Amino acid sequence: MKGILNYLNEVEQICQKIYANQLVKQGEGNVSIRIPNQNALIITPSENDYENLAEENMVHMDFDGLVLQGKLKPSSEHIMHRYIYRKRPKINCIIHTHSTNASILSVLHNDLPVIFEEMAMLLGGSVKCSKFAQAGTEDLPKAALNAMKKQNAVILANHGLLVVGRTSEYCVKTAVIIEKMAKIFLNAKKIGDVKVISIENQKKFIEIFNDKYSTY
Ligand SMILES: [Zn+2]
């Protein structure tokens, strides 16, 4: 079994990757992973310092919000992370970013349609935009899960992106792909009519999603 240090290290590594991919700026966003069989998670601290990451800065807390270990304050979005882990037991990792292009869609309250087959495979379909809900409240994860339904990602209205998954590798990869697809979609829209992939042509990829990546 993995020890707590492994989980602290895993969160640190996710942070490194999302910062290197410019999905978050200094102090933005938050990341967590579930600790199996513990009703607990490791989450990034409030105002996460991506330039000086340290395992001891991560916060170990239980699903009721009690801090078990950590000297810093947990991200203010710990309410959202705890809520989602309780409601969706197959989710083991959550990444929340304010990545630029996904955030542009979020202020437009625009879904991200399936424009590459890869999206249907990784995401099970288009990425929906949620209804607006205030950050730091339980309304936010409720709105997020409502819009996300059986999928693994959602655009949070006027806020950014939320990706969930079975593994941190999947979540990082998916957050990177969504940002790239959002950029392609928004740029294509400026030039002309964006052609999306039909539901019929997504089917075979959605089956792969259901089999490999679904957390529902
Ligand atoms: Zn945020």
Side-chain angles (χ1 to χ4, degrees):
M1 217 183 84
K2 288 207 281 186
I4 201 80
L5 263 177
N6 296 96
Y7 294 109
L8 292 166
N9 182 260
E10 192 174 343
V11 172
E12 195 185 327
Q13 287 193 9
I14 301 166
C15 291
Q16 270 169 10
K17 288 176 194 158
I18 62 173
Y19 191 61
N21 279 287
Q22 301 182 331
L23 301 183
V24 284
K25 300 263 188 238
Q26 186 70 320
E28 265 186 357
N30 33 73
V31 167
S32 73
I33 52 171
R34 177 197 294 271
I35 304 181
N37 313 315
Q38 256 202 32
N39 287 334
L41 66 154
I42 304 284
I43 189 165
T44 44
S46 180
E47 302 284 317
N48 194 17
D49 182 355
Y50 293 93
E51 303 264 342
N52 299 289
L53 289 165
E55 283 163 10
E56 64 268 24
N57 291 347
M58 306 306 163
V59 183
H60 180 190
M61 70 193 309
D62 72 14
F63 287 175
D64 295 323
L66 178 74
V67 173
L68 304 170
Q69 193 186 330
K71 52 185 171 55
L72 299 181
K73 251 174 65 174
S75 161
S76 57
E77 291 303 350
H78 67 87
I79 296 163
M80 170 168 75
H81 290 249
R82 293 190 286 107
Y83 185 91
I84 292 174
Y85 286 126
R86 275 197 304 251
K87 292 280 174 194
R88 299 271 298 265
K90 288 183 192 161
I91 292 172
N92 293 318
C93 177
I94 300 173
I95 297 178
H96 164 53
T97 74
H98 298 171
S99 61
T100 308
N101 291 288
S103 297
I104 294 173
L105 289 172
S106 89
V107 299
L108 293 167
H109 290 200
N110 212 317
D111 297 348
L112 175 62
V114 176
I115 49 172
F116 273 49
E117 289 163 332
E118 192 179 16
M119 286 182 67
M121 189 177 80
L122 276 178
L123 294 154
S126 61
V127 183
K128 303 293 187 304
C129 181
S130 72
K131 289 216 170 75
F132 179 80
Q134 236 172 35
T137 71
E138 237 180 42
D139 293 341
L140 186 61
K142 281 180 186 163
L145 289 183
N146 263 336
M148 186 159 69
K149 302 225 160 38
K150 298 180 178 180
Q151 292 177 235
N152 284 345
V154 63
I155 294 162
L156 303 170
N158 302 84
H159 193 151
L161 179 70
L162 183 74
V163 176
V164 302
R166 294 186 199 174
T167 67
S168 57
E169 291 77 15
Y170 165 88
C171 290
V172 170
K173 182 180 175 185
T174 302
V176 170
I177 297 278
I178 290 174
E179 179 57 14
K180 182 177 174 182
M181 293 299 144
K183 185 176 181 181
I184 293 170
F185 175 66
L186 289 164
N187 280 294
K189 239 166 67 135
K190 288 184 210 156
I191 302 168
D193 235 8
V194 174
K195 309 293 188 292
V196 304
I197 297 177
S198 70
I199 297 283
E200 188 54 40
N201 282 324
Q202 289 180 40
K203 271 189 181 149
K204 138 177 134 188
F205 299 100
I206 291 176
E207 277 170 29
I208 300 173
F209 169 81
N210 287 332
D211 192 42
K212 266 181 98 169
Y213 304 118
S214 171
T215 55
Y216 198 76

